[in-house]
mmCIF file with all atom_site columns, all heavy atoms in Angstrom:
data_model
loop_
_atom_site.group_PDB
_atom_site.id
_atom_site.type_symbol
_atom_site.label_atom_id
_atom_site.label_alt_id
_atom_site.label_comp_id
_atom_site.label_asym_id
_atom_site.label_entity_id
_atom_site.label_seq_id
_atom_site.pdbx_PDB_ins_code
_atom_site.Cartn_x
_atom_site.Cartn_y
_atom_site.Cartn_z
_atom_site.occupancy
_atom_site.B_iso_or_equiv
_atom_site.pdbx_formal_charge
_atom_site.auth_seq_id
_atom_site.auth_comp_id
_atom_site.auth_asym_id
_atom_site.auth_atom_id
_atom_site.pdbx_PDB_model_num
ATOM 1   N N   . LEU B 1 467 ? 57.679 59.942 33.639 1.00 0.00 ? 467 LEU B N   1
ATOM 2   C CA  . LEU B 1 467 ? 57.367 61.186 34.327 1.00 0.00 ? 467 LEU B CA  1
ATOM 3   C C   . LEU B 1 467 ? 58.062 62.378 33.670 1.00 0.00 ? 467 LEU B C   1
ATOM 4   O O   . LEU B 1 467 ? 57.446 63.434 33.507 1.00 0.00 ? 467 LEU B O   1
ATOM 5   C CB  . LEU B 1 467 ? 57.823 61.111 35.807 1.00 0.00 ? 467 LEU B CB  1
ATOM 6   C CG  . LEU B 1 467 ? 56.878 60.427 36.753 1.00 0.00 ? 467 LEU B CG  1
ATOM 7   C CD1 . LEU B 1 467 ? 57.541 60.306 38.116 1.00 0.00 ? 467 LEU B CD1 1
ATOM 8   C CD2 . LEU B 1 467 ? 55.609 61.237 36.903 1.00 0.00 ? 467 LEU B CD2 1
ATOM 9   N N   . LEU B 1 468 ? 59.295 62.165 33.279 1.00 0.00 ? 468 LEU B N   1
ATOM 10  C CA  . LEU B 1 468 ? 60.045 63.214 32.617 1.00 0.00 ? 468 LEU B CA  1
ATOM 11  C C   . LEU B 1 468 ? 59.402 63.572 31.279 1.00 0.00 ? 468 LEU B C   1
ATOM 12  O O   . LEU B 1 468 ? 59.320 64.762 30.929 1.00 0.00 ? 468 LEU B O   1
ATOM 13  C CB  . LEU B 1 468 ? 61.489 62.827 32.407 1.00 0.00 ? 468 LEU B CB  1
ATOM 14  C CG  . LEU B 1 468 ? 62.377 62.960 33.649 1.00 0.00 ? 468 LEU B CG  1
ATOM 15  C CD1 . LEU B 1 468 ? 63.739 62.324 33.373 1.00 0.00 ? 468 LEU B CD1 1
ATOM 16  C CD2 . LEU B 1 468 ? 62.567 64.425 34.017 1.00 0.00 ? 468 LEU B CD2 1
ATOM 17  N N   . GLU B 1 469 ? 58.959 62.560 30.582 1.00 0.00 ? 469 GLU B N   1
ATOM 18  C CA  . GLU B 1 469 ? 58.282 62.818 29.301 1.00 0.00 ? 469 GLU B CA  1
ATOM 19  C C   . GLU B 1 469 ? 57.041 63.654 29.526 1.00 0.00 ? 469 GLU B C   1
ATOM 20  O O   . GLU B 1 469 ? 56.812 64.637 28.793 1.00 0.00 ? 469 GLU B O   1
ATOM 21  C CB  . GLU B 1 469 ? 57.904 61.480 28.616 1.00 0.00 ? 469 GLU B CB  1
ATOM 22  C CG  . GLU B 1 469 ? 59.029 60.827 27.901 1.00 0.00 ? 469 GLU B CG  1
ATOM 23  C CD  . GLU B 1 469 ? 58.699 59.413 27.461 1.00 0.00 ? 469 GLU B CD  1
ATOM 24  O OE1 . GLU B 1 469 ? 57.533 59.011 27.530 1.00 0.00 ? 469 GLU B OE1 1
ATOM 25  O OE2 . GLU B 1 469 ? 59.625 58.678 27.070 1.00 0.00 ? 469 GLU B OE2 1
ATOM 26  N N   . THR B 1 470 ? 56.286 63.304 30.500 1.00 0.00 ? 470 THR B N   1
ATOM 27  C CA  . THR B 1 470 ? 55.074 64.051 30.823 1.00 0.00 ? 470 THR B CA  1
ATOM 28  C C   . THR B 1 470 ? 55.402 65.499 31.161 1.00 0.00 ? 470 THR B C   1
ATOM 29  O O   . THR B 1 470 ? 54.741 66.451 30.726 1.00 0.00 ? 470 THR B O   1
ATOM 30  C CB  . THR B 1 470 ? 54.326 63.416 31.999 1.00 0.00 ? 470 THR B CB  1
ATOM 31  O OG1 . THR B 1 470 ? 54.390 62.007 31.861 1.00 0.00 ? 470 THR B OG1 1
ATOM 32  C CG2 . THR B 1 470 ? 52.902 63.865 32.093 1.00 0.00 ? 470 THR B CG2 1
ATOM 33  N N   . LEU B 1 471 ? 56.465 65.634 31.959 1.00 0.00 ? 471 LEU B N   1
ATOM 34  C CA  . LEU B 1 471 ? 56.880 66.980 32.384 1.00 0.00 ? 471 LEU B CA  1
ATOM 35  C C   . LEU B 1 471 ? 57.280 67.819 31.153 1.00 0.00 ? 471 LEU B C   1
ATOM 36  O O   . LEU B 1 471 ? 56.917 68.963 31.037 1.00 0.00 ? 471 LEU B O   1
ATOM 37  C CB  . LEU B 1 471 ? 58.037 66.838 33.349 1.00 0.00 ? 471 LEU B CB  1
ATOM 38  C CG  . LEU B 1 471 ? 58.302 68.018 34.243 1.00 0.00 ? 471 LEU B CG  1
ATOM 39  C CD1 . LEU B 1 471 ? 57.177 68.145 35.249 1.00 0.00 ? 471 LEU B CD1 1
ATOM 40  C CD2 . LEU B 1 471 ? 59.623 67.847 34.969 1.00 0.00 ? 471 LEU B CD2 1
ATOM 41  N N   . GLY B 1 472 ? 57.987 67.167 30.231 1.00 0.00 ? 472 GLY B N   1
ATOM 42  C CA  . GLY B 1 472 ? 58.422 67.826 29.011 1.00 0.00 ? 472 GLY B CA  1
ATOM 43  C C   . GLY B 1 472 ? 57.186 68.320 28.207 1.00 0.00 ? 472 GLY B C   1
ATOM 44  O O   . GLY B 1 472 ? 57.188 69.444 27.718 1.00 0.00 ? 472 GLY B O   1
ATOM 45  N N   . MET B 1 473 ? 56.202 67.447 28.127 1.00 0.00 ? 473 MET B N   1
ATOM 46  C CA  . MET B 1 473 ? 54.969 67.799 27.390 1.00 0.00 ? 473 MET B CA  1
ATOM 47  C C   . MET B 1 473 ? 54.303 68.986 28.024 1.00 0.00 ? 473 MET B C   1
ATOM 48  O O   . MET B 1 473 ? 53.860 69.896 27.360 1.00 0.00 ? 473 MET B O   1
ATOM 49  C CB  . MET B 1 473 ? 54.034 66.628 27.347 1.00 0.00 ? 473 MET B CB  1
ATOM 50  C CG  . MET B 1 473 ? 54.465 65.583 26.335 1.00 0.00 ? 473 MET B CG  1
ATOM 51  S SD  . MET B 1 473 ? 53.162 64.402 26.049 1.00 0.00 ? 473 MET B SD  1
ATOM 52  C CE  . MET B 1 473 ? 53.450 63.265 27.372 1.00 0.00 ? 473 MET B CE  1
ATOM 53  N N   . MET B 1 474 ? 54.270 68.964 29.339 1.00 0.00 ? 474 MET B N   1
ATOM 54  C CA  . MET B 1 474 ? 53.584 70.031 30.041 1.00 0.00 ? 474 MET B CA  1
ATOM 55  C C   . MET B 1 474 ? 54.293 71.352 29.879 1.00 0.00 ? 474 MET B C   1
ATOM 56  O O   . MET B 1 474 ? 53.656 72.392 29.693 1.00 0.00 ? 474 MET B O   1
ATOM 57  C CB  . MET B 1 474 ? 53.438 69.685 31.527 1.00 0.00 ? 474 MET B CB  1
ATOM 58  C CG  . MET B 1 474 ? 52.328 68.736 31.817 1.00 0.00 ? 474 MET B CG  1
ATOM 59  S SD  . MET B 1 474 ? 52.428 68.072 33.469 1.00 0.00 ? 474 MET B SD  1
ATOM 60  C CE  . MET B 1 474 ? 51.940 69.498 34.400 1.00 0.00 ? 474 MET B CE  1
ATOM 61  N N   . GLU B 1 475 ? 55.606 71.285 29.920 1.00 0.00 ? 475 GLU B N   1
ATOM 62  C CA  . GLU B 1 475 ? 56.403 72.556 29.743 1.00 0.00 ? 475 GLU B CA  1
ATOM 63  C C   . GLU B 1 475 ? 56.195 73.151 28.373 1.00 0.00 ? 475 GLU B C   1
ATOM 64  O O   . GLU B 1 475 ? 56.083 74.378 28.223 1.00 0.00 ? 475 GLU B O   1
ATOM 65  C CB  . GLU B 1 475 ? 57.888 72.239 29.953 1.00 0.00 ? 475 GLU B CB  1
ATOM 66  C CG  . GLU B 1 475 ? 58.277 72.381 31.383 1.00 0.00 ? 475 GLU B CG  1
ATOM 67  C CD  . GLU B 1 475 ? 59.725 72.193 31.633 1.00 0.00 ? 475 GLU B CD  1
ATOM 68  O OE1 . GLU B 1 475 ? 60.465 71.866 30.665 1.00 0.00 ? 475 GLU B OE1 1
ATOM 69  O OE2 . GLU B 1 475 ? 60.164 72.366 32.790 1.00 0.00 ? 475 GLU B OE2 1
ATOM 70  N N   . MET B 1 476 ? 56.008 72.243 27.370 1.00 0.00 ? 476 MET B N   1
ATOM 71  C CA  . MET B 1 476 ? 55.763 72.726 26.039 1.00 0.00 ? 476 MET B CA  1
ATOM 72  C C   . MET B 1 476 ? 54.457 73.456 25.975 1.00 0.00 ? 476 MET B C   1
ATOM 73  O O   . MET B 1 476 ? 54.302 74.494 25.329 1.00 0.00 ? 476 MET B O   1
ATOM 74  C CB  . MET B 1 476 ? 55.770 71.510 25.069 1.00 0.00 ? 476 MET B CB  1
ATOM 75  C CG  . MET B 1 476 ? 56.319 71.854 23.717 1.00 0.00 ? 476 MET B CG  1
ATOM 76  S SD  . MET B 1 476 ? 56.970 70.393 22.934 1.00 0.00 ? 476 MET B SD  1
ATOM 77  C CE  . MET B 1 476 ? 55.503 69.621 22.377 1.00 0.00 ? 476 MET B CE  1
ATOM 78  N N   . LEU B 1 477 ? 53.487 72.892 26.650 1.00 0.00 ? 477 LEU B N   1
ATOM 79  C CA  . LEU B 1 477 ? 52.146 73.498 26.690 1.00 0.00 ? 477 LEU B CA  1
ATOM 80  C C   . LEU B 1 477 ? 52.227 74.887 27.369 1.00 0.00 ? 477 LEU B C   1
ATOM 81  O O   . LEU B 1 477 ? 51.641 75.859 26.877 1.00 0.00 ? 477 LEU B O   1
ATOM 82  C CB  . LEU B 1 477 ? 51.173 72.640 27.462 1.00 0.00 ? 477 LEU B CB  1
ATOM 83  C CG  . LEU B 1 477 ? 50.659 71.439 26.694 1.00 0.00 ? 477 LEU B CG  1
ATOM 84  C CD1 . LEU B 1 477 ? 49.850 70.561 27.639 1.00 0.00 ? 477 LEU B CD1 1
ATOM 85  C CD2 . LEU B 1 477 ? 49.771 71.841 25.527 1.00 0.00 ? 477 LEU B CD2 1
ATOM 86  N N   . PHE B 1 478 ? 52.986 74.950 28.446 1.00 0.00 ? 478 PHE B N   1
ATOM 87  C CA  . PHE B 1 478 ? 53.095 76.218 29.174 1.00 0.00 ? 478 PHE B CA  1
ATOM 88  C C   . PHE B 1 478 ? 53.813 77.272 28.324 1.00 0.00 ? 478 PHE B C   1
ATOM 89  O O   . PHE B 1 478 ? 53.451 78.426 28.337 1.00 0.00 ? 478 PHE B O   1
ATOM 90  C CB  . PHE B 1 478 ? 53.829 76.025 30.490 1.00 0.00 ? 478 PHE B CB  1
ATOM 91  C CG  . PHE B 1 478 ? 53.019 75.366 31.562 1.00 0.00 ? 478 PHE B CG  1
ATOM 92  C CD1 . PHE B 1 478 ? 53.483 74.299 32.239 1.00 0.00 ? 478 PHE B CD1 1
ATOM 93  C CD2 . PHE B 1 478 ? 51.758 75.847 31.852 1.00 0.00 ? 478 PHE B CD2 1
ATOM 94  C CE1 . PHE B 1 478 ? 52.723 73.684 33.236 1.00 0.00 ? 478 PHE B CE1 1
ATOM 95  C CE2 . PHE B 1 478 ? 50.973 75.262 32.807 1.00 0.00 ? 478 PHE B CE2 1
ATOM 96  C CZ  . PHE B 1 478 ? 51.461 74.150 33.516 1.00 0.00 ? 478 PHE B CZ  1
ATOM 97  N N   . ALA B 1 479 ? 54.790 76.775 27.571 1.00 0.00 ? 479 ALA B N   1
ATOM 98  C CA  . ALA B 1 479 ? 55.584 77.717 26.768 1.00 0.00 ? 479 ALA B CA  1
ATOM 99  C C   . ALA B 1 479 ? 54.774 78.316 25.654 1.00 0.00 ? 479 ALA B C   1
ATOM 100 O O   . ALA B 1 479 ? 55.006 79.469 25.256 1.00 0.00 ? 479 ALA B O   1
ATOM 101 C CB  . ALA B 1 479 ? 56.814 76.965 26.193 1.00 0.00 ? 479 ALA B CB  1
ATOM 102 N N   . THR B 1 480 ? 53.810 77.541 25.124 1.00 0.00 ? 480 THR B N   1
ATOM 103 C CA  . THR B 1 480 ? 53.031 78.080 24.016 1.00 0.00 ? 480 THR B CA  1
ATOM 104 C C   . THR B 1 480 ? 51.970 79.078 24.474 1.00 0.00 ? 480 THR B C   1
ATOM 105 O O   . THR B 1 480 ? 51.516 79.865 23.678 1.00 0.00 ? 480 THR B O   1
ATOM 106 C CB  . THR B 1 480 ? 52.350 76.916 23.259 1.00 0.00 ? 480 THR B CB  1
ATOM 107 O OG1 . THR B 1 480 ? 51.663 76.092 24.207 1.00 0.00 ? 480 THR B OG1 1
ATOM 108 C CG2 . THR B 1 480 ? 53.363 76.142 22.471 1.00 0.00 ? 480 THR B CG2 1
ATOM 109 N N   . THR B 1 481 ? 51.521 78.988 25.722 1.00 0.00 ? 481 THR B N   1
ATOM 110 C CA  . THR B 1 481 ? 50.530 79.945 26.195 1.00 0.00 ? 481 THR B CA  1
ATOM 111 C C   . THR B 1 481 ? 51.174 81.317 26.221 1.00 0.00 ? 481 THR B C   1
ATOM 112 O O   . THR B 1 481 ? 52.281 81.493 26.737 1.00 0.00 ? 481 THR B O   1
ATOM 113 C CB  . THR B 1 481 ? 49.996 79.590 27.564 1.00 0.00 ? 481 THR B CB  1
ATOM 114 O OG1 . THR B 1 481 ? 51.112 79.408 28.439 1.00 0.00 ? 481 THR B OG1 1
ATOM 115 C CG2 . THR B 1 481 ? 49.182 78.341 27.536 1.00 0.00 ? 481 THR B CG2 1
ATOM 116 N N   . PRO B 1 482 ? 50.479 82.339 25.656 1.00 0.00 ? 482 PRO B N   1
ATOM 117 C CA  . PRO B 1 482 ? 51.102 83.632 25.571 1.00 0.00 ? 482 PRO B CA  1
ATOM 118 C C   . PRO B 1 482 ? 51.246 84.269 26.976 1.00 0.00 ? 482 PRO B C   1
ATOM 119 O O   . PRO B 1 482 ? 50.379 84.176 27.798 1.00 0.00 ? 482 PRO B O   1
ATOM 120 C CB  . PRO B 1 482 ? 50.124 84.438 24.696 1.00 0.00 ? 482 PRO B CB  1
ATOM 121 C CG  . PRO B 1 482 ? 48.845 83.720 24.859 1.00 0.00 ? 482 PRO B CG  1
ATOM 122 C CD  . PRO B 1 482 ? 49.138 82.283 25.114 1.00 0.00 ? 482 PRO B CD  1
ATOM 123 N N   . THR B 1 483 ? 52.392 84.930 27.123 1.00 0.00 ? 483 THR B N   1
ATOM 124 C CA  . THR B 1 483 ? 52.592 85.639 28.418 1.00 0.00 ? 483 THR B CA  1
ATOM 125 C C   . THR B 1 483 ? 52.005 87.024 28.312 1.00 0.00 ? 483 THR B C   1
ATOM 126 O O   . THR B 1 483 ? 52.041 87.658 27.266 1.00 0.00 ? 483 THR B O   1
ATOM 127 C CB  . THR B 1 483 ? 54.084 85.740 28.743 1.00 0.00 ? 483 THR B CB  1
ATOM 128 O OG1 . THR B 1 483 ? 54.748 86.167 27.579 1.00 0.00 ? 483 THR B OG1 1
ATOM 129 C CG2 . THR B 1 483 ? 54.643 84.420 29.151 1.00 0.00 ? 483 THR B CG2 1
ATOM 130 N N   . LYS B 1 484 ? 51.480 87.501 29.411 1.00 0.00 ? 484 LYS B N   1
ATOM 131 C CA  . LYS B 1 484 ? 50.797 88.755 29.414 1.00 0.00 ? 484 LYS B CA  1
ATOM 132 C C   . LYS B 1 484 ? 51.780 89.918 29.431 1.00 0.00 ? 484 LYS B C   1
ATOM 133 O O   . LYS B 1 484 ? 51.540 90.968 28.920 1.00 0.00 ? 484 LYS B O   1
ATOM 134 C CB  . LYS B 1 484 ? 49.858 88.869 30.630 1.00 0.00 ? 484 LYS B CB  1
ATOM 135 C CG  . LYS B 1 484 ? 48.563 88.147 30.398 1.00 0.00 ? 484 LYS B CG  1
ATOM 136 C CD  . LYS B 1 484 ? 47.664 88.297 31.611 1.00 0.00 ? 484 LYS B CD  1
ATOM 137 C CE  . LYS B 1 484 ? 47.994 87.218 32.644 1.00 0.00 ? 484 LYS B CE  1
ATOM 138 N NZ  . LYS B 1 484 ? 47.169 87.360 33.821 1.00 0.00 ? 484 LYS B NZ  1
#
Side-chain angles (χ1 to χ4, degrees):
Chain B
L467 276 174
L468 280 171
E469 278 171 13
T470 320
L471 201 69
M473 283 192 275
M474 281 168 72
E475 272 184 355
M476 214 154 78
L477 283 173
F478 284 129
T480 50
T481 52
T483 47
K484 279 183 274 178

